[in-house]
């Protein structure tokens, strides 16, 4: 199957700093990528839909100025958590699809803000 | 908006017992997908169901899609310790590609 690589797999940052998470489709072009957030022992919550070359579509309640998404190419989308706070600590996962119905997930990024 | 509900939240079984998780959507789905997430891992695609009343099997796993395309179930026969993980259903509405995930059922299998 298609491979989606997410980096970094974990990051610890100080409160007030920004963190960038990359999501790459390695062997296919993804016009659309999705960003999810997962709290411990909870489900995946869709944060935003990232479209190549255009602005991301954010879900209700997700602050677009805090979670900056850039989808500059067909193989790369980035999520930047700006001015991170401890409540932003979570597991962030991206997914992308090729022509198949299956969504391919990145490995996820565990963010801890101290 | 569309809501996908999944029960039970947790299930603890003895190895060899059967296990079932149920998924129910507030709206009609164009398709439903099932994923398995091991502790510390990311969701891994298991299967997609598209047709009303569809039943698919993967070895000990049986997946069903309701006639109204609003509910689904995953049944595991004779569980094994390797079945441990959280099973998520995820629905696609007719209007979009983003998946709406259920809350997941965490399965624990003890030998």
């Amino acid at each position: 199957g298609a491979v989606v690589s997410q980096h970094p797999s974990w990051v610890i940052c100080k409160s007030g700093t920004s963190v960038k998470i990359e999501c790459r489709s390695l062997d296919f072009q993804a016009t659309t990528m999705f960003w999810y957030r997962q709290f411990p022992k909870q489900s995946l919550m869709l944060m935003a839909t990232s479209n190549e070359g255009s602005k991301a579509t954010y879900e209700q309640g997700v602050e677009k100025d805090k979670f900056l998404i850039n989808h500059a190419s067909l193989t790369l989308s980035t999520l930047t958590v700006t001015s991170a706070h401890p409540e932003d600590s979570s597991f962030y996962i991206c997914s992308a699809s090729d022509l198949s119905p299956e969504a391919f997930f990145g490995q996820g990024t565990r963010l801890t803000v101290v | 908006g569309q809501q996908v509900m999944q029960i039970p939240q947790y299930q603890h079984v003895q190895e060899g017992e059967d296990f079932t998780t149920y998924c129910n959507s507030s709206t009609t789905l164009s398709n439903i997908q099932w994923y398995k997430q091991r502790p510390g891992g990311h969701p891994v695609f298991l299967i997609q169901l598209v047709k009303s009343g569809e039943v698919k099997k993967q070895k000990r796993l049986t997946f069903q899609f309701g006639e109204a395309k609003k509910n689904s179930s995953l049944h595991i026969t004779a569980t094994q310790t390797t079945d441990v993980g959280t099973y998520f259903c995820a629905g696609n509405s007719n209007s979009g590609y983003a998946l709406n995930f259920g809350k997941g059922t965490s399965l624990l299998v003890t030998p």
Side-chain angles (χ1 to χ4, degrees), chain A residues 34 36 38 41-44 46 49 91 93 101-103 105-108 110, chain B residues 9-10 33 35 37 40-43 45 48 88 97-99 101-104:
Chain A
F34 303 95
Y36 295 86
Q38 186 178 33
K41 299 183 179 181
Q42 294 193 28
S43 188
L44 288 80
L46 179 67
T49 302
F91 193 50
I93 310 177
E102 177 179 349
F105 285 85
Q107 301 94 324
R110 187 162 303 282
Chain B
Q9 188 174 3
Y10 302 101
Q33 300 179 11
Y35 290 81
Q37 184 176 24
H42 62 278
F45 178 82
Q48 176 178 264
F88 291 98
Y97 299 100
L99 293 170
F101 281 83
K103 291 188 179 296

Side-chain angles (χ1 to χ4, degrees), chain B residues 68-85:
Chain B
K69 299 183 73 172
K70 295 179 71 174
N71 56 72
S72 181
S73 65
L74 158 59
H75 179 81
I76 301 179
T77 303
T79 55
Q80 300 175 359
T81 54
T82 53
D83 295 325
V84 166

Side-chain angles (χ1 to χ4, degrees), chain B:
Chain B
Q2 180 188 82
Q3 291 186 342
V4 177
M5 290 145 287
Q6 192 173 352
I7 58 169
Q9 188 174 3
Y10 302 101
Q11 186 81 58
H12 182 185
V13 299
Q14 293 288 322
E15 190 172 24
E17 293 181 337
D18 293 354
F19 159 77
T20 305
T21 173
Y22 301 91
C23 190
N24 192 52
S25 170
S26 58
T27 59
T28 302
L29 300 169
S30 63
N31 66 78
I32 194 160
Q33 300 179 11
W34 285 90
Y35 290 81
K36 178 182 179 181
Q37 184 176 24
R38 293 182 184 275
H42 62 278
V44 175
F45 178 82
L46 294 177
I47 208 163
Q48 176 178 264
L49 304 172
V50 179
K51 298 178 182 177
S52 170
E54 188 171 15
V55 177
K56 286 188 176 180
K57 291 190 176 183
Q58 289 180 351
K59 296 183 180 179
R60 294 178 294 105
L61 278 61
T62 301
F63 304 85
Q64 292 187 332
F65 201 11
E67 294 290 340
K69 299 183 73 172
K70 295 179 71 174
N71 56 72
S72 181
S73 65
L74 158 59
H75 179 81
I76 301 179
T77 303
T79 55
Q80 300 175 359
T81 54
T82 53
D83 295 325
V84 166
T86 301
Y87 293 85
F88 291 98
C89 62
N92 252 327
S93 68
N94 288 316
S95 60
Y97 299 100
L99 293 170
N100 286 300
F101 281 83
K103 291 188 179 296
T105 297
S106 293
L107 173 64
L108 179 62
V109 181
T110 51

Side-chain angles (χ1 to χ4, degrees), chain A residues 9 17 27 32 57 71 74 90 103 114:
Chain A
S9 56
T17 61
D27 51 2
T32 304
T57 303
H71 196 154
L74 288 171
S90 190
V114 298

Side-chain angles (χ1 to χ4, degrees), chain A residues 4-26:
Chain A
V4 174
S5 176
Q6 188 172 340
H7 177 82
S9 56
W10 60 271
V11 58
I12 301 174
C13 70
K14 290 185 177 180
S15 186
T17 61
S18 296
V19 174
K20 180 184 283 188
I21 302 170
E22 292 187 348
C23 181
R24 294 180 184 272
S25 56
L26 298 185

